[in-house]
Amino acid sequence: MLQVEITEHTTDGRDIKRYSKRKYRTMRGVEKLFDIYRDCYPSPRYTVAIIGEPEPRRRQDNSTAIGQVHVGDIFHCMWGYDMIINDFYEVVEVSKTGKSVITRKIATHMDGDPCSPAGGAQVRPMLTGDRFIGRPERHTLQAYGKAIYIRINSFSTATLMEPEDYLQDYTEDHLD
């Protein structure tokens, strides 16, 4: 952790050291505070220095997701606060590096009434025909353990489905 050290050189020859209350992980953060303190505490009476070691940046390891997604794969997103809503996204393009994909939202087959108090409807992704209902969107592939997912928006993610799950039914309920 990094912090700013202010050393006051008194007239009687003593050095009094003070430290910033806030600590920083990177040089980028501490440099702003260092510049402020250097202007507030003029030399030669004060010496301002940065002490400590920066922490290495933690990178999310998405290497397990690279190369695992192909055109035609489907991602499933289930969301809703009081309701259960299912969205499906098909991969239409994979970047050259394999780190991102372009997806399009696809329509669903629905059996039943999602507004029925008897338990909602059963949905599954539409796999053939004119199924695309959304514009193409680029998403970065991410991995958590062995699961591969994409972030759809601030409150939902979609996980990569296995081909045998394409025909599985998912419950959808639009009642609050």
Side-chain angles (χ1 to χ4, degrees), residues 7-147:
T7 306
E8 179 182 0
H9 308 288
T10 61
T11 54
D12 60 357
R14 293 182 301 135
D15 289 339
I16 301 171
K17 295 189 181 215
R18 297 186 190 114
Y19 302 94
S20 61
K21 291 180 182 178
R22 179 133 187 214
K23 295 182 181 182
Y24 296 87
R25 290 186 9 227
T26 63
M27 283 297 288
R28 185 176 178 184
V30 78
E31 283 175 343
K32 291 178 185 177
L33 185 64
F34 174 74
D35 291 339
I36 291 169
Y37 281 0
R38 191 179 53 204
D39 293 340
C40 292
Y41 297 100
S43 133
R45 183 170 177 190
Y46 296 97
T47 305
V48 180
I50 297 173
I51 60 166
E53 291 292 323
E55 290 184 3
R57 287 196 169 259
R58 289 181 248 142
R59 294 193 158 227
Q60 187 175 7
D61 183 22
N62 290 329
S63 60
T64 57
I66 298 172
Q68 300 295 318
V69 178
H70 308 286
V71 172
D73 286 346
I74 298 176
F75 284 86
H76 174 233
C77 174
M78 186 171 68
W79 60 280
Y81 182 72
D82 290 350
M83 303 178 281
I84 302 170
I85 301 172
N86 294 281
D87 292 328
F88 298 94
Y89 300 87
E90 185 173 332
V91 176
V92 294
E93 185 180 330
V94 179
S95 69
K96 292 177 184 176
T97 61
K99 294 180 180 180
S100 65
V101 293
I102 295 177
T103 63
R104 288 190 68 187
K105 190 174 181 179
I106 58 176
T108 59
H109 288 287
M110 187 174 295
D111 297 326
D113 182 10
C115 296
S116 167
Q122 299 296 314
V123 297
R124 63 187 173 283
M126 188 179 286
L127 301 175
T128 58
D130 187 21
R131 62 190 176 280
F132 296 113
I133 58 174
R135 285 197 217 127
E137 295 179 1
R138 180 173 299 278
H139 300 283
T140 303
L141 290 173
Q142 299 181 1
Y144 183 77
K146 292 183 180 181

